[in-house]
Amino acid sequence: MRQVVIAAAGGLFVAACGSITEPEDVLDCGAVEGLLACNTFEAEDPMWTTVVDRGVVVLDDADASGGMKALHATVAVGGGKAVRARSLGTSDRYYAKFHLNLPTGADATGMSILHLGEPVAPFEGTNVEIAAGNLGVGVSTAGVFDYPMAMPRDRWVCIELELVASDTGGRVIVRADGALVTDRLGIDTRPAGEYGDVEIGLSYVAAEAASGTTVLVDDLVVASAPLPSCTR
């Protein structure tokens, strides 16, 4: 449980009881090797822009996997989009990690949480997705859509993506809390326009969604070098 914050100064947070504590488990973006993109969602970051279509995305202090705030994305009935996005440097390998919380009431018919892809149309790329309540991956360049694991609800799950960009020898690995979800290799993972964009939140929600969709996301990092695993 986090204490109620009433003031902040010099990076220290003063709790209502009068004690002083530092925010817990906040991602240190500056310590990431091969850093390409990072967001702790503790405050607005000018490197990231908001992109919405029939949706809303905010920083919310109602719940967080670490620190005081998390990204809260919501899309109404009938699909849409609600993300924070930024440019992404080109690499032959991408490693991404973030924390995801899917509330019980969220319509999990179909959604993309993390999108790495082209910065221009047709926006092809690789997505961490949920379909029919199951977690997996969508790789549009290869026609691969694989969702083998039931996504837990109402708790934080640490998600890892490893992506090798190649026309013929590509590989995509997704893990959840350190456990393998899917591993697809020997596929086309390189879009014609190259990777240049990252989106996090609700990058896509299926039009078939019969009720509103909400997710919480925290502590996203994307790098060109391997990241510490979720089990460390």
Side-chain angles (χ1 to χ4, degrees):
M1 296 294 291
R2 296 186 305 279
Q3 294 173 300
V4 177
V5 174
I6 60 174
L12 297 180
F13 291 76
V14 182
C17 61
S19 64
I20 297 176
T21 181
E22 294 183 358
E24 298 178 357
D25 303 323
V26 177
L27 171 66
D28 183 359
C29 296
V32 177
E33 181 182 354
L35 182 66
L36 296 173
C38 189
N39 202 324
T40 65
F41 304 112
E42 291 299 299
E44 297 293 347
D45 187 334
M47 294 294 294
W48 295 76
T49 60
T50 299
V51 183
V52 295
D53 174 16
R54 291 173 293 170
V56 177
V57 58
V58 298
L59 302 186
D60 196 336
D61 61 2
D63 191 13
S65 68
M68 304 302 296
K69 293 184 179 182
L71 185 75
H72 188 172
T74 301
V75 169
V77 175
K81 184 187 191 84
V83 298
R84 293 290 165 87
R86 62 156 292 169
S87 61
L88 186 69
T90 301
S91 177
D92 290 330
R93 289 178 178 266
Y94 294 94
Y95 301 87
K97 184 166 69 172
F98 62 97
H99 291 81
L100 173 64
N101 190 326
L102 180 68
T104 294
D107 189 316
T109 299
M111 67 183 82
S112 296
I113 309 299
L114 174 69
H115 169 72
L116 304 182
E118 296 173 314
V120 295
F123 306 108
E124 290 194 328
T126 297
N127 300 332
V128 174
E129 299 184 339
I130 296 173
N134 288 349
L135 177 68
V137 68
V139 186
S140 58
T141 48
V144 169
F145 302 94
D146 185 22
Y147 314 102
M149 189 194 97
M151 179 64 197
R153 300 270 188 155
D154 286 323
R155 72 172 180 87
W156 287 101
V157 178
C158 183
I159 307 294
E160 296 171 90
L161 169 69
E162 181 177 343
L163 167 63
V164 177
S166 171
D167 292 327
T168 57
R171 186 175 189 180
V172 179
I173 302 172
V174 175
R175 295 183 177 89
D177 287 339
L180 181 66
V181 175
T182 184
D183 183 355
R184 303 298 295 262
L185 69 164
I187 60 175
D188 178 7
T189 57
R190 192 186 298 279
E194 296 292 346
Y195 288 93
D197 177 66
V198 54
E199 296 180 350
I200 187 70
L202 289 170
S203 181
Y204 164 81
V205 174
E208 295 79 12
S211 61
T213 297
T214 293
V215 295
L216 294 170
V217 178
D218 209 357
D219 289 349
L220 167 69
V221 60
V222 184
S224 59
L227 299 168
S229 70
C230 289
T231 57
R232 291 167 56 187

